[in-house]
Amino acid sequence: MVLSLDRFANLANSISSKLKVDLIQLESKIFPDEESYLRIPESIKDEKVVVIHSCFPQQDKRLIELFMILDNARVLGAKEIISVIPYLAYARQDKRFRDGETIGISTIAKLIRLCGTNTFITVNIHEKSSLDLFNIRSINLSAMLELGSYIKGLNLKNPIVVAPDRGALEDAKEVAKVMKTDYTFFDKTRDLKTGEVRAGSKEADVGDRDVVIVDDIISTGGTIANIAKIVKKQGAEKVLAACTHALLIKDSRDKLHNAGVNEIIGTDTVDSDVSRVSVANIIVDILRTLI
Ligand code: R5P
């Protein structure tokens, strides 16, 4: 059976109906002091359960919910727990960049395991090597083939795929392969104290072409806006910003628009009006091999 909160209803419904298994909608409410109340309304004793949960803002709240659901499922006797967390927060805190920094993903991985997860599944985790921190069976899926197929169907003009930094290069390659076109990448530097990002200078082959900038996450929009401005100056026509996890915080949409981005394309790991592509099928395919 699949367990999920109603805020993840679209994806959870789609996954459970494709798998033809029951979906148990968890009961939830928020107390006046903002603490969360959660209840599993049916017996899960001796059941194999799939918990579907995502960590889009408010991430800390979503994570506390997740830990409470997992711990409760374990204590209530679930035989096996598969945690499907399509967007895993804190995955960008995967190194100690400055002495004394916390490695957020390490703490989150420990808690996901300690709360009872037997198998962990996510989509486009920021850094694949972070899976080693979980010490349980851990699977990272990629939404790039789905994104590529969707973008291919848009019939862009002689498109080129651009990675805004080397970290996004593999993703850009995957998208370009589906689109049967070429790709390139930029270098990015980040100020470790302020978080401000700068794009390296480069002459890209974008003149009179539509440009698809691909990344795993769009948060403030700063990374993609920098590249959009550069490719626009170099003669790009339409500019599309595509990612798996479109967090789109604060004024990111305006920032992207003002930088020349015509369209933002995301998936339903973070449910919003830019969720054009669903990750349901890739999750269902892997779950079929596990349940
Ligand atoms: C970091 O390296 C990630 O891959 C993304 O490039 C980054 O999280 C995007 O963040 P923002 O939209 O705030 O620039």
Side-chain angles (χ1 to χ4, degrees), residues 92 126 165 188 190 215-223:
R92 285 172 291 177
H126 180 64
D165 55 34
K188 177 173 87 176
R190 186 181 288 275
D215 209 348
D216 57 342
I217 303 174
I218 302 178
S219 179
T220 65
T223 299

Side-chain angles (χ1 to χ4, degrees), residues 44-265:
I44 53 161
K45 194 160 169 41
D46 296 326
E47 297 280 351
K48 194 180 248 197
V49 298
V50 177
V51 174
I52 299 182
H53 198 81
S54 207
C55 301
F56 46 80
Q58 300 288 322
Q59 293 92 323
D60 295 354
K61 191 87 182 140
R62 300 292 83 84
L63 283 165
I64 285 291
E65 288 169 350
L66 172 66
F67 302 144
M68 285 166 54
I69 295 166
L70 294 174
D71 192 38
N72 200 24
R74 184 179 57 89
V75 170
L76 293 176
K79 183 171 70 181
E80 189 183 327
I81 303 176
I82 301 174
S83 293
V84 178
I85 320 296
Y87 170 59
L88 181 66
Y90 284 90
R92 285 172 291 177
Q93 295 183 27
D94 62 334
K95 284 183 199 70
R96 192 165 279 123
F97 297 95
R98 299 173 66 210
D99 286 350
E101 283 181 346
T102 54
I103 302 177
I105 187 61
S106 172
T107 309
I108 302 301
K110 250 177 233 157
L111 288 167
I112 287 177
R113 171 172 46 85
L114 291 174
C115 289
T117 301
N118 301 100
T119 302
F120 169 74
I121 300 173
T122 190
V123 182
N124 289 120
I125 192 166
H126 180 64
E127 178 58 56
K128 283 184 203 147
S129 60
S130 299
L131 293 187
D132 298 339
L133 297 167
F134 285 77
N135 285 322
I136 46 175
R137 177 164 57 182
S138 302
I139 299 164
N140 179 49
L141 304 171
S142 174
M144 294 301 156
L145 296 183
E146 270 66 17
L147 278 166
S149 309
Y150 175 83
I151 297 165
K152 188 163 187 261
L154 298 177
N155 295 319
L156 299 175
K157 178 180 168 193
N158 190 15
I160 177 167
V161 179
V162 172
D165 55 34
R166 283 172 194 262
L169 187 53
E170 283 309 308
D171 291 341
K173 260 190 210 176
E174 265 191 79
V175 171
K177 196 171 169 196
V178 184
M179 293 174 62
K180 296 194 172 42
T181 188
D182 52 331
Y183 60 88
T184 187
F185 68 95
F186 280 77
D187 277 315
K188 177 173 87 176
T189 51
R190 186 181 288 275
D191 184 307
L192 293 181
K193 278 193 190 163
T194 63
E196 197 189 328
V197 289
R198 273 215 191 121
S201 61
K202 167 172 181 163
E203 201 59 47
D205 177 21
V206 294
D208 293 329
R209 301 178 74 178
D210 288 342
V211 172
V212 182
I213 309 173
V214 172
D215 209 348
D216 57 342
I217 303 174
I218 302 178
S219 179
T220 65
T223 299
I224 287 192
N226 282 345
I227 304 299
K229 283 183 208 156
I230 295 174
V231 295
K232 271 305 219 190
K233 264 198 199 136
Q234 294 181 3
E237 297 253 320
K238 227 192 238 176
V239 177
L240 277 71
C243 70
T244 305
H245 315 294
L247 301 181
L248 294 174
I249 63 164
K250 297 185 184 160
D251 62 348
S252 52
R253 289 170 191 255
D254 291 340
K255 200 185 282 177
L256 290 168
H257 179 74
N258 294 337
V261 171
N262 300 87
E263 203 173 331
I264 305 168
I265 298 162

